[in-house]
Structures are given as structure tokens and as C-alpha cells.
Amino acid sequence: MPNRQLTSDELEKARVLLAEIRNKLAGLSQGDSELLFAYRRKIYKELGYDERSKPMKRRALKDQKWKEQRGLCAICKKEMPARYTVPDRLNAVDGYTPENTRLIHQECDVSQQESRGYA
Ligand SMILES: [Zn+2]
């Protein structure tokens, strides 16, 4: 399922919000570029977790899916290494839940992204 796209009105609201966030970060850091860097990284990391889950939760899900799939890639059905695998969401907005996620090779992920026109 393709991800929802923002309408032009929603895109404008996102631009306004981003400008507000940048202004607040500038206010918090008061010209201290290292502090601005640290605040920006913290916000970036936490927003990433909102979409992708925290590392420990992702690790646990990958281990669970690896066992459920008996170490076989959900796309090519060949054996996968224990690491360097990719949790693939069936519907991105539904997040990394056991029901919405399958484990695949990194190479199969890249091929899939290319065939969908994402890469
Ligand atoms: Zn594969």
C-alpha cells in the first residue's frame, strides 16, 4: 500500500511547523552551535523512534520474526544471516508490529525499493 501523501494545504502546515521548531531550537541554543547540534539530534532521534520504535523493541521484533520464519527471507525464501536483516512493514503507517512486519534480506529490501521506485 502506498504511503499517504500530504495535500498542498497540509504540506504548508508542515512547513510552518518546521519553521517554528527551528525557531525554538535557535532560541534554546542561543547561538551555541554545539548545543543546537545536540538539540537537533535529540529531536531527530526521538521522532525517528516514533516511526521506527526504539532499538531494543526493533531487535526483539527481528528476533521473533527470524524464529517465526525459521531464518528464511519472506521475499526470496532463502536463508538469512542472524544479523543484517530488515524488518519490512506490510503497511508503513501500521508500524512495526508482529502482524504488520516480515523479515527480509537487505538485498531483497533494496530490490523491492527499486522496483517500487523509492531508490
Ligand atoms: Zn531474500
Side-chain angles (χ1 to χ4, degrees):
M1 182 186 294
N3 293 330
R4 185 185 185 285
Q5 302 293 306
L6 296 176
T7 64
S8 57
D9 188 45
E10 291 163 343
L11 206 52
E12 184 51 32
K13 287 177 182 167
R15 284 193 193 101
V16 170
L17 175 60
L18 184 59
E20 287 172 13
I21 292 168
R22 286 182 171 138
N23 266 336
K24 287 195 175 186
L25 291 174
L28 284 175
S29 57
Q30 296 288 310
D32 180 338
S33 59
E34 289 188 18
L35 183 56
L36 175 61
F37 176 83
Y39 274 131
R40 193 188 292 132
R41 282 192 69 109
K42 176 66 177 169
I43 299 300
Y44 172 84
K45 191 171 84 176
E46 294 297 330
L47 287 176
Y49 290 160
D50 287 353
E51 190 191 332
R52 298 168 53 84
S53 304
K54 293 206 172 202
M56 272 181 59
K57 196 176 165 209
R58 280 171 64 85
R59 181 77 245 158
L61 178 61
K62 285 172 77 171
D63 288 346
Q64 178 189 341
K65 299 310 287 190
W66 200 90
K67 286 176 191 146
E68 283 176 13
Q69 293 172 212
R70 303 187 189 291
L72 303 179
C73 173
I75 290 182
C76 71
K77 313 297 181 199
K78 293 179 186 159
E79 286 185 17
M80 290 184 294
R83 295 208 167 246
Y84 308 110
T85 56
V86 177
D88 179 44
R89 291 169 294 185
L90 302 174
N91 186 19
V93 75
D94 292 336
Y96 288 96
T97 63
E99 302 75 26
N100 190 46
T101 307
R102 60 185 186 164
L103 203 59
I104 60 177
H105 285 113
Q106 280 184 341
E107 312 87 80
C108 289
D109 185 43
V110 171
S111 303
Q112 179 178 249
Q113 303 259 329
E114 283 171 354
S115 72
R116 289 176 179 168
Y118 292 159

